[in-house]
Amino acid sequence: MTERALVAPITILAIIAVVSALQIGAAVFAPVACALFIIAIVWPLQRNLQLFVPKLVALAAVVGMIVLAFFVVASITTWGFGRIGRSIIADSARFQVLYDQLAEWLEGHGIVVAGVWAEHFNVGWLVRILQGSAVRLNTMISFWIVVVVYVLLGLLDTEAAARNAKVALSPRSASILIDGSALTASKLRRYMVVRTLMSLVTGSMVWALSAAFGLRFAAEWGIIAFALNYIPFMGPFIATLLPTLYAFAQFGSPQSAIVIFAGLNVIQFVIGSYIEPRVAGYALAISPFVVLFSVFFWSFLWGVFGAFIGVPITIAVLTYCAQSPSTVWIARLMGSPAGSSEAQVQNVTQ
């Protein structure tokens, strides 16, 4: 067998080995990926603060702002889910009756799967999921502590890493690494700004729609929509489905639930399919298929955090691919910019 014939099997085995390692070592790799993502976003702030105050003081200020941002987002999200979760637990008997009625109605219209699902689903099962959230919350806190430590050490070594790359690598390789990192960081910052703005708009509109229809916990639904909108495809779907189910339970009318469901979908469609792509621009253009695959692939490897970080990882990979003539075809195929001009890179690194 020739060497060329061996390339494909070896490549496939290497990909399988890397994917397996990422999944098995999620506790190690996921915090590192999150830390690199945060460093890419906050590094300009760290660099600018160092011009006016000592490096360690600037580092303490930046890390303090990161922790504060984590605390605020986690607090409001926990508050929203907690209020609705307590309401479901308190009214579990009524919700169970409504669900049984819905299952019976669906069976009467020939949807037999509802009966099968009813054997495995009940409100008690939902309550157990909500109660198990406390365990996942403790795990998440441990995860973020490790991330903050990585961010602290990474911000201290960012400049040294760039200098070491210039010494250890060839000029061409060092240029690809440093310029690719700068351009990737710029795109990730833009991605987060756009995603945050669109999440705020989505949350505000969900709150307004819920309040207009008299749905309980309108503010909480808006906060949940804001938080889940950071996860493409999956997040908006869940943020649409949950208030729809609650609307059916509250109003006891399928028509009201359908109207709210339609209104929420219009909001998600207009913002996600029309406004956001135009705000993000061509610099973040990725094939929708690739985005969806990234969300499911990384959620399979790393759970909920993987669903959030999947698209940023894809942006980073395609940006690095665009830096080299041998891999630029991957960036073009996936819908990323064909390459970055020297002017773009200089603007990013300034």
Side-chain angles (χ1 to χ4, degrees):
M1 184 177 292
T2 63
E3 292 184 4
R4 182 172 297 181
L6 288 172
V7 171
I10 292 175
T11 302
I12 294 174
L13 290 175
I15 292 174
I16 294 174
V18 171
V19 171
S20 300
L22 288 173
Q23 186 177 37
I24 295 172
V28 176
F29 295 116
V32 173
C34 185
L36 292 175
F37 176 68
I38 295 172
I39 291 171
I41 294 174
V42 303
W43 169 243
L45 177 61
Q46 166 77 15
R47 180 183 57 194
N48 292 332
L49 284 177
Q50 289 178 183
L51 300 177
F52 304 98
V53 297
K55 183 175 182 178
L56 292 180
V57 175
L59 179 64
V62 171
V63 173
M65 285 185 279
I66 293 171
V67 173
L68 179 61
F70 288 165
F71 177 78
V72 170
V73 173
S75 296
I76 62 174
T77 305
T78 303
W79 175 79
F81 277 105
R83 291 256 302 170
I84 296 172
R86 286 191 294 271
S87 173
I88 294 176
I89 293 174
D91 296 335
S92 58
R94 183 171 66 87
F95 282 111
Q96 183 66 57
V97 171
L98 288 171
Y99 175 79
D100 292 339
Q101 292 175 352
L102 176 62
E104 184 178 352
W105 181 84
L106 290 173
E107 287 184 3
H109 288 74
I111 307 178
V112 184
V113 69
V116 177
W117 179 248
E119 297 178 0
H120 304 281
F121 176 86
N122 52 55
V123 174
W125 173 78
L126 182 59
V127 169
R128 288 193 295 272
I129 290 180
L130 294 173
Q131 291 173 339
S133 299
V135 178
R136 289 191 292 271
L137 181 61
N138 292 332
T139 303
M140 187 179 299
I141 291 174
S142 302
F143 173 85
W144 285 112
I145 291 175
V146 175
V147 169
V148 170
V149 173
Y150 277 131
V151 170
L152 181 68
L153 298 176
L155 288 174
L156 283 173
D157 291 340
T158 300
E159 294 174 330
R163 291 193 299 267
N164 293 338
K166 293 179 180 179
V167 174
L169 302 176
S170 65
R172 174 60 180 168
S173 299
S175 176
I176 291 176
L177 177 62
I178 295 174
D179 294 345
S181 299
L183 190 55
T184 297
S186 176
K187 289 185 177 183
L188 293 180
R189 288 192 292 271
R190 184 172 182 177
Y191 171 81
M192 282 303 295
V193 168
V194 171
R195 181 62 65 178
T196 300
L197 290 176
M198 294 302 101
S199 296
L200 286 171
V201 173
T202 301
S204 300
M205 296 187 69
V206 169
W207 166 77
L209 179 70
S210 301
F213 280 95
L215 185 64
R216 293 179 61 193
F217 304 112
E220 287 83 347
W221 293 123
I223 289 173
I224 289 174
F226 163 79
L228 293 178
N229 199 61
Y230 281 97
I231 303 176
F233 291 106
M234 292 175 58
F237 173 75
I238 297 174
T240 300
L241 182 63
L242 292 180
T244 300
L245 296 176
Y246 195 91
F248 173 75
Q250 177 181 333
F251 300 119
S253 169
Q255 292 81 3
S256 299
I258 291 173
V259 171
I260 292 178
F261 178 75
L264 294 173
N265 273 281
V266 169
I267 292 173
Q268 297 288 358
F269 176 79
V270 171
I271 294 176
S273 301
Y274 183 79
I275 298 177
E276 185 171 343
R278 284 157 179 76
V279 175
Y282 183 67
L284 299 181
I286 304 175
S287 167
F289 174 84
V290 176
V291 173
L292 184 61
F293 176 79
S294 301
V295 172
F296 281 106
F297 176 76
W298 288 101
S299 64
F300 166 74
L301 293 181
W302 294 345
V304 176
F305 170 71
F308 165 75
I309 201 69
V311 175
I313 289 177
T314 302
I315 292 173
V317 170
L318 296 182
T319 302
Y320 279 109
C321 287
Q323 303 301 305
S324 175
S326 61
T327 56
V328 70
W329 63 272
I330 299 177
R332 290 173 175 167
L333 182 64
M334 301 301 179
S336 179
S340 60
S341 64
E342 293 181 1
Q344 283 181 302
V345 176
Q346 290 173 358
N347 291 334
V348 171
T349 55
Q350 285 177 354

